[in-house]
């Protein structure tokens, strides 16, 4: 599958802004393309940065090229070839390889029914090699494939930035010293890396779906890359229920994208979204993928495509897809089957226990048994260290307090959530909700007061 050309920035866009935008979009493909040549993700990242420096030097003077992504890739690839040529131990042989790389496409891998010639997917599997710890695999791949900063990855993991930085540096060093191949593995090796690959794709999508920091609530490019990788993986591993479960989940989530922001890019809550703007084609694809997960499961399960609980033991992504199906199949917010969602979250809490899953379960419980019951659950989570700086904990608590009529306490919680949020759009939404609690009937000069 050939990557699409990077859109040329609009006329009037400064060269520096264009460079930042294009580099962010093209960073994963740059890393993947260069890694194919140098076989070292650490060196590939350095060469990608060299291409960025070249753009900073030339674009302000010469103008932004028509296809800036291709320009960056060409520069990085040329420098990779030069590096290969200079390697001392194999100088003459590598000069020949370098000359051929300048004029020909990379050689194809031997044909195999399960082979996918996709550098991004190769990069995911390479970075998820079992020589790395699970935490290091995920952090490295989010950095290389997702283009996330160390701060963004730390936020996604709810982990201090220095810890993440050390994981990434050590992971790159380990891959280099162990000569890990740049490939999509086969058989048992592929299976051993699958869990980490799925987690990485999921986290990349989440960062695009609700950016942890910055001015934009959505980063559609990350969502598209993650969904494309999930679809590729479904073709590569058709008998894996969790692969289809992840694909289904991302299809359902992506279907809501157009309705998740307002005219000025502000977030729109689920209950306020115009469901006519949900993408019905993606919902249909999600249902199909969930049915495939059901069919691939060791035991038959009951109507997962309709959001029902399974009879077997589905994995966490199949369960999350079933939850997403409940939302997707409800034509109005009021029609949502919250009881089924609460049941599915209960199963998910058994399958993959975590404070975040329990927080999500509390939201579903509040819709079934009322906010007071859910508040008891949320208050037990306040002592969880991993949620200490997690802005959604006070956000959920604020919503429950608001529904209980305890508006002053709710306002305090929303303000606390806003202080913890690092995305400007999300912070604005939380502050607006705090203001609504200050004046439940509208501001004093409001026509509705």
């Amino acid at each position: 599958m050939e990557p699409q050309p990077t859109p040329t920035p609009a006329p009037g866009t400064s060269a520096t802004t264009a460079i930042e935008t294009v580099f962010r979009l093209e960073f994963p493909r740059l890393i993947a393309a260069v890694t194919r040549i140098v076989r070292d993700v650490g060196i590939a990242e350095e060469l990608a940065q060299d291409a960025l420096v070249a753009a900073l030097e030339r674009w302000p003077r010469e103008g932004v090229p028509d296809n800036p992504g291709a320009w960056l890739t060409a520069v990085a690839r040329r420098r990779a070839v030069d590096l290969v040529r200079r390697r001392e131990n194999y100088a003459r042989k590598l000069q020949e390889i370098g000359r051929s790389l300048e004029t020909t496409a990379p050689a194809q891998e031997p044909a195999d029914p399960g082979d996918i010639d996709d550098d991004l997917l190769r990069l995911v599997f390479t970075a998820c090699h079992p020589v790395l710890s699970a935490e290091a695999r995920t952090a490295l791949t989010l950095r290389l494939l997702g283009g996330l900063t160390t701060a963004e990855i730390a936020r996604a993991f709810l982990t201090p930035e220095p810890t993440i930085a050390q994981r990434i540096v050590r992971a790159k060093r380990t891959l280099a010293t162990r000569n890990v191949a740049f490939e999509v593995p086969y058989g048992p090796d592929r299976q051993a890396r699958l869990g980490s690959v799925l987690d990485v794709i999921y986290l990349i999508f989440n960062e695009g779906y609700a950016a942890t920091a910055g001015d934009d609530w959505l980063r559609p490019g990350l969502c598209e890359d993650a969904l494309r990788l999930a679809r590729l993986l479904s073709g590569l591993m058709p008998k894996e229920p969790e692969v289809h479960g992840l694909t289904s989940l991302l299809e359902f989530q992506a279907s809501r994208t157009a309705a998740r922001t307002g005219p000025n890019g502000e977030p729109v809550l689920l209950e306020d979204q115009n469901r006519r703007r949900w993408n019905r084609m993606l919902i249909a694809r999600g249902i199909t993928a969930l049915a495939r997960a059901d069919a691939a499961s060791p035991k038959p399960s009951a109507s997962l495509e309709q959001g029902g609980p399974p009879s077997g033991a589905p994995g966490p992504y199949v369960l999350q897809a079933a939850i997403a199906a409940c939302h997707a199949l409800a034509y109005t917010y009021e029609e949502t089957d919250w009881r089924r969602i609460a049941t599915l979250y209960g199963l998910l809490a058994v399958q993959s226990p975590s404070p975040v899953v329990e927080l999500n379960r509390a939201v579903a419980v509040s819709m079934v048994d009322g906010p007071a019951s859910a508040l008891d659950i949320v208050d037990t989570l306040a002592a969880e260290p991993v949620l200490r700086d997690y802005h959604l904990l006070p956000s959920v608590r604020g919503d429950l307090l608001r529904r209980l009529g305890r508006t002053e306490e709710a306002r305090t919680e929303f303000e606390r959530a806003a202080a913890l949020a690092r995305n400007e759009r999300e912070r604005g939404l939380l502050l607006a909700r705090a203001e609504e609690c200050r004046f439940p009937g509208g501001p004093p000069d409001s026509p509705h007061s």
Side-chain angles (χ1 to χ4, degrees):
M1 180 182 295
E2 292 294 326
Q4 296 299 311
T6 305
T8 302
T13 303
S14 72
T16 300
T17 301
I19 293 166
E20 292 174 353
T21 301
V22 172
F23 190 74
R24 184 93 176 192
L25 290 170
E26 289 298 319
F27 183 73
R29 293 184 178 88
L30 274 175
I31 297 293
V34 176
T35 302
R36 177 185 275 268
I37 298 172
V38 299
R39 307 285 168 168
D40 184 312
V41 294
I43 293 174
E45 187 173 10
E46 292 174 7
L47 292 171
Q49 297 288 348
D50 286 347
L52 172 63
V53 171
L56 287 167
E57 292 173 348
R58 295 177 56 179
W59 290 10
R61 183 177 67 252
E62 302 174 5
V64 179
D66 291 337
N67 191 333
W71 190 97
L72 286 169
T73 301
V75 171
R77 192 168 181 270
R78 186 162 55 247
R79 296 190 180 198
V81 171
D82 289 343
L83 179 64
V84 169
R85 283 176 165 173
R86 290 197 301 269
R87 287 181 174 168
E88 295 180 352
N89 293 337
Y90 304 98
R92 185 167 56 190
K93 182 177 180 180
L94 294 180
Q95 283 175 358
E96 295 173 359
I97 294 173
R99 281 195 293 271
S100 67
L101 284 170
E102 285 184 330
T103 58
T104 63
Q108 298 294 317
E109 299 282 331
D112 184 278
D115 192 24
I116 290 182
D117 186 20
D118 185 281
D119 281 349
L120 287 178
L121 198 58
R122 292 171 190 268
L123 183 58
V124 176
F125 271 96
T126 300
C128 289
H129 196 281
V131 297
L132 304 177
S133 69
E135 295 84 359
R137 296 175 212 167
T138 307
L140 179 62
T141 312
L142 285 172
R143 172 68 190 137
L144 298 180
L145 188 92
L148 275 63
T149 65
T150 303
E152 289 168 339
I153 299 169
R155 184 67 173 175
F157 276 133
L158 304 178
T159 302
E161 284 186 42
T163 302
I164 295 297
Q166 289 176 1
R167 285 179 189 171
I168 293 172
V169 169
R170 290 171 182 166
K172 288 189 288 190
R173 186 183 302 131
T174 299
L175 291 178
T177 57
R178 299 290 290 272
N179 294 316
V180 171
F182 182 61
E183 64 180 5
V184 176
Y186 301 106
D189 288 342
R190 181 183 296 172
Q191 190 66 37
R193 302 188 210 179
L194 181 59
S196 292
V197 169
L198 295 180
D199 290 345
V200 164
I201 293 173
Y202 178 64
L203 287 170
I204 291 171
F205 183 91
N206 274 354
E207 181 59 30
Y209 193 69
T212 56
D215 297 328
D216 296 323
W217 174 237
L218 299 177
R219 295 173 61 187
L222 289 181
C223 291
E224 291 166 7
D225 272 346
L227 186 52
R228 185 177 69 83
L229 288 168
R231 290 170 179 167
L232 284 170
L233 206 57
S234 290
L236 185 67
M237 308 182 77
K239 296 181 180 180
E240 288 294 333
E242 279 290 85
V243 173
H244 295 301
L246 175 64
T247 303
S248 174
L249 173 61
L250 301 194
E251 300 280 10
F252 284 134
Q253 299 293 78
S255 73
R256 306 180 203 164
T257 301
R260 294 187 69 245
T261 53
N264 298 315
E266 69 277 10
V268 178
L269 297 173
L270 179 63
E271 62 188 282
D272 299 323
Q273 289 175 17
N274 179 358
R275 298 191 177 210
R276 288 176 294 182
R277 299 188 66 197
W278 287 8
N279 189 318
R280 292 291 154 186
M281 182 188 72
L282 292 180
I283 290 174
R285 292 183 67 120
I287 292 171
T288 299
L290 194 50
R292 287 174 180 157
D294 190 12
S297 298
K299 296 180 181 179
S301 52
S303 301
L304 278 177
E305 68 274 12
Q306 297 301 318
S311 61
Y317 288 117
V318 176
L319 286 170
Q320 289 180 76
I323 292 168
C326 292
H327 292 294
L329 296 172
Y331 283 94
T332 66
Y333 185 75
E334 292 70 25
E335 293 176 19
T336 307
D337 192 342
W338 289 105
R339 189 171 299 279
R340 182 169 289 170
I341 291 174
T343 298
L344 288 166
Y345 267 122
L347 293 171
L348 183 60
V350 173
Q351 180 70 249
S352 298
S354 81
V356 174
V357 169
E358 194 66 7
L359 183 63
N360 284 323
R361 188 178 74 85
V363 174
V365 167
S366 78
M367 303 303 292
V368 177
D369 299 325
S373 297
L375 188 60
D376 290 339
I377 299 173
V378 172
D379 285 345
T380 64
L381 296 173
E384 292 284 349
V386 74
L387 297 183
R388 184 175 297 116
D389 297 321
Y390 189 48
H391 68 287
L392 292 183
L393 177 64
S395 175
V396 169
R397 192 169 191 276
D399 188 62
L400 296 175
L401 290 167
R402 178 190 61 82
R403 289 166 57 190
L404 288 167
R406 296 159 60 178
T407 55
E408 188 59 28
E409 294 173 80
R411 179 179 66 82
T412 300
E413 289 298 303
F414 284 131
E415 288 177 345
R416 178 169 166 254
L420 292 172
R422 296 176 61 188
N423 182 279
E424 292 301 324
R425 298 290 188 176
E426 194 169 18
R427 183 180 294 122
L429 173 66
L430 291 165
L431 290 174
R433 300 198 76 190
E435 191 68 12
E436 290 170 3
C437 292
R438 185 188 298 274
F439 303 108
D445 59 349
S446 168
H448 301 295
S449 60

